[in-house]
Amino acid sequence: MATDAPDSQQQENQTEQRADALRTRIREADRAYYEQDNPIISDAEYDELMRELRALEEANPALVTPDSPTQAVSGAPAAGFAKVRHRTPMLSLANARAPEELLAWRDRAARVLPQAVFRYVCEPKIDGLSMNLTYDHGELVLGATRGDGLVGEDVTANVRTIKDIPHRLNADGGAPIPDIVEVRGEIYMRHSDFEALNQRLADEAEQAGTTPRLFANARNSAAGSLRQKDPQITVSRPLSFLAYHMGALEGADEPATQADLLGYLRAWGFPVSPLATRVETIEEAQAYADQRAAARFDLGYDIDGAVIKIDDRWQQQELGSVGRDPRWAIAYKFAPAEGNTKLLGINVSVGRTGALTPIASLAPLKLGGVTITSAQLFNEDEVRRKDLRIGDTVVVQRHGDVIPGIVKAMVELRDGTEQPWTFPTNCPVCDTPVVRAEGGAVTYCPNLQCPARHLENVIHFAAVMDIRGLGEAIAERLVGSALIHDVADLYHLTKEQLLTLPGFQEKSAENLLRSIETSKRQPFERVLCAIGIRFVGEKAAESLAQGFRSADALLNATEEEISALPGVGPKIAHSVYEWLQVDTHRQFIEKLKAAGLRMEVTDDGSAARDGLPFSGQTFLLTGSLSQLTRGQAEQAIKALGGKIAPSVTKSLDHLVVGDAPGSKVAKAEKLGVPTRTEDWLVEQLREHGAMPEKRERLS
């Protein structure tokens, strides 16, 4: 028995390292796609990474971290626009790629609502930019990007320029005008408009004698056009909009079905996909997806799948969501397009954490209307596994409008001139010998002063701290000129120093310094997120800030104390503790403190919640409830100071089990998490005066 232990431990370590590598890949892809409008991998590759990570976390619940990509909506609000919080979260969609996966999704919903009969609404999945429009008594008052699902960017001035978006809801269409409504949809660009825009940009560049800066694809052109600081630029770009859902709705009766919801949107004056269809069975939904896939390139705009939603809204409410995905909707993704081209070379980039990522350089390949010239290869093992050689003819796979992946090399076409490629032994930027942990997949540059790492840290810090005007180009100038050696130096920059850099004038220098100064008001948890400790995202940073209340307390904390915080598991705790033991990091914290940043939690009224009955306790609901709806239960728990957890982990305090609960119960038993009945929860709510008078769905 004892001889098996090392093997078991080794397997655990390998699983943990694989999960880490997957999270790193996914976060890098999210940042490129959502924040930079510059995707680095295909949708198909991204989905496969998410599938593998989900499977690992489901089999090993202790690996789940609160900021794992499986637990949060991808993307973060970009710097440069005001941040706004959505009234209701904008969730993402789980996906299926085969009929059996679609049936499995239906079966999961049936286990939660075993007596229900489902009908479905099917729509094409447009590849654009998700948008949340808020109307107050019929007037458009806010347009916001999805961001991270909770907080997005305020782009109201720009969405007002889009002809498909009404400034006022139509009151004569037969649908009631609510006091408040969030209308959700997709901003996109038609192929003909995209081509005309690129032609115009090329003509303007030729007349000016400059190099044209053209958009790579329609999705990027839509996102880039919407995020212009000057609405006059946006109005010159041919953007379109399709509405498909609602978030918050106040002061009006909700539509009973998804089909009725689309009817409301049409009546209010929004364009709704003419291809949206209601079907009676899951087999008909599959047939719809197959039809859309067959005609995907004939529409004049990009779609990358079909969205299938359960029609009855009361069923949607009862099903709720799991992690970042609603249980009542799924994206049926189309098979990716493929083509062959030459592998010209492999370059290596260095990221913020020091991770080295190989990038394939490809001979231009036209695929689905987009010219492909590069693809990300992730790591050394990926290149070796696919036996890629410089000069190979490779199969390239594109899904949607993003940079693709290399499926394989066509070995049968080799003529002997192809050259093997070896991963560099030294960092391509600072020449430091690289390292790779035993059993790990990622190779790192260990030099904390590596210029590439330094640059990425500055970019990350500026984005999280909302330092407007400090984008990649300005960061490169600051780092390249040695004006800053770490981000704390930003707070000591002077106007005279900035004016020595190309592109700066009095006004732009003053604006940047003002933005840097303003960032000092960001709360402690934001600073913790911005400094770039591995695995510490927004949720973990918030937990650390609330748990220790100050940088001084955190610096003196033990690894066990950090791990004991709600939502902070052993992995995050170990990473934080190790980071804090490095002398240069501790000095860096002191520099931030001396610069005037908020390094402790200010009184935000949260202390008043400490005395509530459920304060400090986390809950998760599974299965269907009979005495109150899921929404009522979660609202009541929060009113008593409790928190709703995203998944079953060792730190969960209560798993409340209803009918047909699914796999969460087994996971809870394995981890020793207490399970409670609905009767127990009802008794607790009644004892503390939080039990709703009647069972009703919440909007």
Side-chain angles (χ1 to χ4, degrees):
M1 196 69 170
T3 57
D4 292 338
D7 290 340
S8 176
Q9 184 61 49
Q10 183 179 16
Q11 181 63 41
E12 271 187 39
N13 291 340
Q14 290 175 346
T15 301
E16 184 175 333
Q17 289 164 355
R18 180 57 182 164
D20 289 346
L22 289 168
R23 293 189 188 103
T24 298
R25 286 188 189 182
I26 292 168
R27 290 185 183 114
E28 289 173 350
D30 282 342
R31 178 184 169 196
Y33 188 89
Y34 291 102
E35 299 178 38
Q36 300 173 346
D37 301 322
N38 184 31
I40 56 175
I41 63 172
S42 71
D43 282 0
E45 288 176 296
Y46 183 90
D47 291 341
E48 286 305 315
L49 296 177
M50 286 294 291
R51 285 165 181 261
E52 184 179 353
L53 181 57
R54 277 199 182 93
L56 282 178
E57 291 181 346
E58 287 175 1
N60 304 274
L63 290 180
V64 178
T65 60
D67 60 346
S68 171
T70 64
Q71 303 301 311
V73 175
S74 303
F81 291 91
K83 307 300 186 291
V84 290
R85 184 167 292 275
H86 305 307
R87 290 173 180 266
T88 55
M90 294 184 73
L91 301 177
S92 59
L93 292 175
N95 60 73
R97 291 187 180 277
E100 57 269 21
E101 294 177 358
L102 185 62
L103 288 173
W105 165 74
R106 188 275 313 273
D107 292 343
R108 287 193 296 272
R111 285 196 291 271
V112 178
L113 296 175
Q115 305 303 319
V117 176
F118 298 131
R119 294 183 300 177
Y120 310 91
V121 168
C122 307
E123 305 166 55
K125 185 178 181 296
I126 297 177
D127 193 12
L129 186 73
S130 298
M131 181 54 50
N132 189 36
L133 306 170
T134 303
Y135 288 80
D136 187 335
H137 292 85
E139 294 284 349
L140 176 62
V141 295
L142 178 65
T145 62
R146 182 172 72 170
D148 64 3
L150 300 175
V151 176
E153 307 158 68
D154 184 345
V155 290
T156 309
N158 290 350
V159 300
R160 289 183 184 277
T161 70
I162 300 173
K163 64 183 186 308
D164 291 335
I165 295 177
H167 292 191
R168 182 169 183 79
L169 300 182
N170 177 23
D172 300 325
I177 302 298
D179 295 342
I180 294 289
V181 64
E182 289 178 310
V183 174
R184 289 168 178 176
E186 203 82 1
I187 289 177
Y188 66 102
M189 191 174 286
R190 296 178 179 276
H191 292 160
S192 58
D193 291 332
F194 165 65
E195 292 165 3
L197 172 61
N198 264 354
Q199 185 61 55
R200 177 164 63 82
L201 294 175
D203 292 344
E204 291 172 353
E206 183 178 356
Q207 293 172 7
T210 59
T211 301
R213 298 185 64 182
L214 306 182
F215 287 106
N217 50 65
R219 193 265 172 197
N220 283 11
S221 64
S225 298
L226 187 70
R227 287 187 169 124
Q228 293 293 324
K229 299 293 182 61
D230 183 358
Q232 291 306 311
I233 297 178
T234 305
V235 77
S236 70
R237 305 283 174 84
L239 297 175
S240 299
F241 178 77
L242 275 180
Y244 52 68
H245 199 58
M246 292 191 304
L249 179 68
E250 300 173 10
D253 291 336
E254 285 201 16
T257 66
Q258 188 69 27
D260 292 341
L261 183 153
L262 296 179
Y264 274 36
L265 295 174
R266 289 191 193 94
W268 287 334
F270 292 98
V272 172
S273 175
L275 300 174
T277 303
R278 181 161 64 180
V279 300
E280 298 293 326
T281 67
I282 198 69
E283 290 75 20
E284 291 175 343
Q286 178 67 57
Y288 176 92
D290 294 341
Q291 292 165 1
R292 295 279 68 81
R296 60 186 294 196
F297 296 118
D298 301 331
L299 294 177
Y301 52 87
D302 291 314
I303 65 172
D304 58 0
V307 177
I308 299 167
K309 302 173 182 174
I310 289 174
D311 189 32
D312 282 320
R313 298 264 286 165
W314 75 265
Q315 293 175 346
Q316 294 180 8
Q317 175 72 19
E318 288 295 312
L319 289 168
S321 61
V322 54
R324 62 183 213 159
D325 308 323
R327 288 189 180 91
W328 47 268
I330 195 166
Y332 193 94
K333 292 294 195 75
F334 298 153
E338 290 186 349
N340 300 340
T341 190
K342 284 283 187 180
L343 175 60
L344 303 179
I346 299 176
N347 304 310
V348 175
S349 66
V350 183
R352 176 172 60 88
T353 63
L356 272 62
T357 303
I359 307 291
S361 175
L362 305 171
L365 171 67
K366 193 84 169 179
L367 203 60
V370 175
T371 300
I372 305 301
T373 58
S374 62
Q376 191 180 44
L377 295 170
F378 300 117
N379 56 46
E380 180 181 5
D381 292 347
E382 182 86 349
V383 180
R384 185 182 296 115
R385 181 176 65 83
K386 294 178 178 177
D387 187 25
L388 299 178
R389 303 181 185 183
I390 310 303
D392 268 338
T393 297
V394 293
V395 178
V396 175
Q397 190 179 77
R398 171 181 172 259
H399 191 88
D401 256 339
V402 294
I403 293 174
I406 293 177
V407 179
K408 64 177 182 178
M410 300 186 72
V411 179
E412 65 274 15
L413 298 182
R414 287 177 177 165
D415 59 13
T417 62
E418 297 79 13
Q419 296 296 315
W421 179 81
T422 57
F423 205 87
T425 56
N426 288 55
C427 173
V429 177
C430 69
D431 203 38
T432 301
V434 298
V435 297
R436 178 176 174 178
E438 184 178 351
V442 181
T443 301
Y444 291 91
C445 169
N447 179 13
L448 297 177
Q449 303 306 317
C450 175
R453 295 187 63 174
H454 183 24
L455 174 62
E456 291 296 324
N457 272 318
V458 173
I459 295 170
H460 170 76
F461 185 86
V464 176
M465 296 293 284
D466 195 19
I467 302 178
R468 302 183 185 186
L470 182 49
E472 184 173 353
I474 300 300
E476 286 177 349
R477 293 174 204 168
L478 292 172
V479 172
S481 64
L483 283 181
I484 59 173
H485 299 90
D486 58 41
V487 295
D489 291 336
L490 289 170
Y491 298 93
H492 301 289
L493 287 172
T494 65
K495 184 166 69 173
E496 290 71 27
Q497 288 176 315
L498 292 179
L499 290 175
T500 65
L501 299 179
F504 272 102
Q505 296 180 351
E506 291 272 343
K507 187 67 174 176
S508 56
E510 290 172 358
N511 287 342
L512 178 56
L513 291 174
R514 186 180 304 113
S515 184
I516 292 172
E517 184 66 24
T518 300
S519 72
K520 293 180 180 179
R521 299 200 293 266
Q522 292 285 1
F524 179 38
E525 60 264 27
R526 203 75 173 161
V527 180
L528 282 178
C529 183
I531 59 181
I533 302 174
R534 195 178 181 199
F535 306 133
V536 176
E538 184 177 337
K539 293 180 180 178
E542 183 177 351
S543 185
L544 290 168
Q546 293 299 325
F548 291 102
R549 311 292 290 178
S550 72
D552 288 340
L554 182 57
L555 285 168
N556 293 318
T558 65
E559 186 171 341
E560 291 73 20
E561 289 171 334
I562 298 171
S563 183
L565 291 175
V568 177
K571 180 180 299 301
I572 297 176
H574 183 67
S575 176
V576 172
Y577 182 76
E578 278 202 333
W579 191 92
L580 292 172
Q581 303 318 301
V582 178
D583 286 340
T584 54
H585 292 164
R586 299 174 80 90
Q587 293 164 12
F588 170 62
I589 292 292
E590 293 301 323
K591 285 180 67 176
L592 291 177
K593 190 189 303 183
L597 276 71
R598 293 183 175 177
M599 304 304 286
E600 61 182 11
V601 175
T602 55
D603 185 16
D604 57 0
S606 59
R609 300 181 60 81
D610 290 345
L612 294 176
F614 288 170
S615 178
Q617 301 178 51
T618 55
F619 292 73
L620 184 61
L621 309 176
T622 182
S624 57
L625 306 178
S626 59
Q627 300 179 64
L628 66 172
T629 67
R630 185 180 296 268
Q632 285 178 315
E634 291 184 351
Q635 188 178 82
I637 289 169
K638 292 175 182 177
L640 293 177
K643 293 184 178 180
I644 305 301
S647 60
V648 177
T649 64
K650 287 192 292 187
S651 60
L652 182 66
D653 293 304
H654 309 283
L655 179 68
V656 179
V657 180
D659 294 332
S663 62
K664 288 188 176 66
V665 175
K667 292 179 184 177
E669 291 174 350
K670 181 178 179 181
L671 295 174
V673 172
T675 58
R676 313 293 189 186
T677 64
E678 182 183 5
D679 288 340
W680 175 87
L681 176 62
V682 168
E683 182 180 344
Q684 295 292 313
L685 297 182
R686 283 179 174 152
E687 179 181 343
H688 299 294
M691 182 65 187
E693 293 184 1
K694 61 179 180 178
R695 187 180 191 275
E696 60 183 2
R697 183 164 59 90
L698 302 177
S699 59

